Amino acid sequence: MGSKSFGNLLDLASGDLLDIPQTPRALPRVMTVPGIISDGYGIGGSDSDAFSLPCPERKIIVANFLPLNCKKDSETGQWKFSLDNDSTLLHLKDGFSPETEVIYVGSLKSDVDVSEQDEVSQTLFEEFSCVPTFLPLDVHKKFYLGFCKQQLWPLFHYMLPMCPDHGERFDRGLWQAYVSANKIFADKVMGVINLEEDYIWIHDYHLMLLPTFLRRRFHRVKLGFFLHSPFPSSEIYRTLPVREELLRGLLNCDLIGFHTFDYARHFLSCCCRMLGLEYESKRGHIALDYLGRTVFLKILPIGIQMGRLESVLNLPATAEKLKEIQEKYQGKKVILGVDDMDIFKGLSLKILAFEHLLQQYPSMLGKLVLIQIVNPARGSGKDVQEAKKETYYTVNRINERYGSPGYEPVVLIDRPVPRSEKSAYYAMAECCIVNAVRDGMNLVPYKYTVCRQGTPEMDKSLGLNDGSPRTSTLVLSEFIGCSPSLSGAIRVNPWDIVAVADSMYSAITMSDFEKQLRHKKHYHYISTHDVAYWSRSFTQDLERACRDHYSKRCWGVGWGLGFRLIALSPNFRRLSIEQTVSAYRRSSKRAIFLDYDGTLVPEASIVKEPSADVISALKTLCSDPNNTVFIVSGRGKVSLTEWLAPCENLGIAAEHGYFTRWNKSSDWETSGFSDDLEWKKIVEPIMRLYTETTDGSNIEAKESALVWHHQDADPDFGSCQAKELLDHLETVLVNEPVVVHRGHQIVEVKPQGVSKGLVTGKVLSRMHEEGNAPDFVVCIGDDRSDEEMFESITTTLSAPSSSVSTEIFACTVGRKPSKAKYFLDEVSDVVKLLQGLANTSSSPKPRYPSHLRVSFESVV
């Protein structure tokens, strides 16, 4: 089925949407199959049997921008490039082994003419191991300044476009540019990838579709993704019209990284509510089972590059600037803020809180200064202009009211500030405040703490004692990613101006001893969790997540951005109807076991009665005296008897085999199971309690079992209640002859020993004892309970006592991990198979000779 969010995403995936020119091919492509240079991007591409030429281990880092500075000489017209030492991406290699080759893929921060792109590409690859993407100007504008900054960025920071004055509404043209840009990035990665050796690490929300393009082309590509922004709650995220495409894009990775558990929890909630996925903890690692693939989640906040910051502190310019600032603000305490100019940094709230502090503590007038450094805005739009206007207005008002000759309460530095100057401000500030209303990580507190620690060389230039105690205090919004990591900080709600003011006052009046303790704790964490630690930890987990890539067979399904990969056992394959019918013809004695819901009738169908085609096929198969056909279902015997009444010779096992009958004329038997159901008096009141407290849940009362359903309840709350109910029931039923089982959106209590596997085992054993051992067996089901049938058939027919060579066709409905060897995609395929078998059956004959009509209990 095509994607709902785009008319023809298959064309889009081929790069035809915006008539984008083919990206230059200056770089040599990597050979993925011996003797064949891969240059295709077709949706049918698969690397299942491909391998790459051996080469050293490589990491391909993909981000929106390359870690480069670039400038074109106005006189010579030549481009000049240099590494951007302030870029976090550049320092990721600190966590890799020295032998690792690192390639960067991304855009330049300047436009390069098309005629120069080939030459620039070659230069950047040879000198810096960088591969530029060269997005067309119109695409880049709509992609970065449009979809990324006007739609994804606000949404991920909990801002919804409730009206045109408060954010941009969804624009399909911008979305198309986002898809096209991701496709261009994918082309570039494909141009340098070596499938066997390379690990690809994608960064941030600009490239959430890139994993889909890469996974579709290379099924076993090793993909990691780290989101540097918040991930919003499911209520916010689900308002995005293209929510599923982006979510499936991330799920095409092997490892997804987040700064905090809150962000990961929101992502998992979206996976649960939108795709029905559940997560589990595997030896300390959070994992999602997604179509046979295991997608791991990594929760680790990023660190800073300690060496780079310390080298700036050692610069003479830093020491000189620090002396200048200390002289200027001598006798005053300085609170420092360093923020981008955007609506989520809480600049106005911070300044208003500082004003309230001056109102509440007049003694601080003339003694306390707030220095606010404003970094250039990363986006454009009226929201940025409004934030800037409000900030300037508030600052001017406060300075006019509380300022005096020689004293300016709020100092606003709105210009590009050199790193040395910024480090000097960090080093002299008594307190640092980050008051963002929402921020992905924010490394300002880390930089502040390291600068307050200083370096021996800096201390020497300032005439300080190297062993003198260091202090620092932090006031942090509880809505930023670094807040959970810095437990010694004073955490605040940025919207509570009074509480923020009180927190700033507490920070500057705190005892030196307490400041030392807090600083020591923070500095230890920051210095041991730097960017190298973060990079090393992520790549180690990525390597572990990719270990079983070649242990499974892969199938790509879905069109365009709806593409997803199914990974299953190498022996797992589609059941061929022709081969099955051929084996049926060759056989003399046959056993056919069929589940009901999800196998003969679609699970989602409101109409639960079998179709006329199903009844006709079953009736024909049952009429053949060489066939033993059983419906093995969890449903009650009344419903099954009514729906399957036309099939007089059909065997039915109801309630997972608690009740069994061989044909319509035989009696129902309980197969020797305990008929003591007194435990229901214990279970029913407990289930009723959970039903009353869980809206959307209900109880299904069977003769032998009680089932609590929560498929219509809130997914998160229903799952939580199911876990609690399971623990509750297991505790109170510990001495009862029952088992408590949790299945897909159910909790079931049933007698011990009842299972579908027991039914199939007994039927096959009886046929063997009567001299009618089958040489052909078909077993089809779709859920977990049917796995017991698949296992039982294999065990029973492989026993030494079995003297007949049997062809077994154990088949699950849907491509998913299973003990069955075969699969069919949907119910309609099962019906086609049954019709094919029925068409080859002989004319109806009396079903059971009298010597076979014995009690089912006799074989227990």
Side-chain angles (χ1 to χ4, degrees), residues 685-695 697 699 708 721:
I686 296 174
M687 284 189 173
R688 194 181 305 119
L689 172 65
Y690 281 81
T691 302
E692 292 171 358
T693 57
T694 311
D695 186 44
S697 65
I699 301 173
W708 187 75
Q721 290 289 80

Side-chain angles (χ1 to χ4, degrees), residues 44 48 56 229 278 390 438 789 814 835:
S48 297
S229 77
E278 295 182 359
E390 182 183 5
R438 188 72 58 179
M789 289 200 293
Q835 289 175 327

Side-chain angles (χ1 to χ4, degrees), residues 353 356-357 360-361 490 497-507:
H356 186 80
L357 188 158
Q360 291 296 108
Y361 304 97
I490 301 174
I497 292 174
V498 175
V500 174
D502 291 341
S503 297
M504 285 193 285
Y505 182 77
S506 298

Side-chain angles (χ1 to χ4, degrees), residues 615-655:
I615 292 295
S616 175
L618 289 177
K619 194 172 182 180
T620 302
L621 290 171
C622 295
S623 299
D624 189 331
N626 296 314
N627 293 345
T628 299
V629 185
F630 260 84
I631 299 297
V632 187
S633 172
R635 284 194 172 271
K637 60 183 182 181
V638 175
S639 300
L640 293 174
T641 299
E642 177 185 348
W643 295 338
L644 301 169
C647 308
E648 296 187 359
N649 293 320
L650 179 67
I652 298 177
E655 299 192 16

Side-chain angles (χ1 to χ4, degrees), residues 394-430:
T394 308
V395 169
N396 291 334
R397 180 177 57 77
I398 293 173
N399 286 338
E400 287 177 4
R401 181 174 180 181
Y402 296 100
S404 60
Y407 173 62
E408 194 176 29
V410 183
V411 178
L412 189 65
I413 304 176
D414 187 9
R415 58 175 170 80
V417 179
R419 236 183 126 84
S420 58
E421 181 181 350
K422 196 176 291 184
S423 298
Y425 277 108
Y426 280 137
M428 67 86 60
E430 187 97 1

Side-chain angles (χ1 to χ4, degrees), residues 73-93:
D73 192 302
S74 58
E75 296 181 0
T76 64
Q78 296 295 313
W79 282 98
K80 294 183 179 180
F81 301 98
S82 61
L83 293 174
D84 181 3
N85 290 316
D86 294 335
S87 172
T88 299
L89 296 177
L90 188 64
H91 300 291
L92 295 181
K93 60 185 178 183

Side-chain angles (χ1 to χ4, degrees), residues 193-209:
I193 188 174
N194 184 304
L195 184 61
E196 290 290 329
E197 304 295 336
D198 294 351
Y199 289 87
I200 300 175
W201 188 358
I202 303 168
H203 290 265
D204 225 0
Y205 62 95
H206 314 90
L207 301 172
M208 292 173 70
L209 293 179

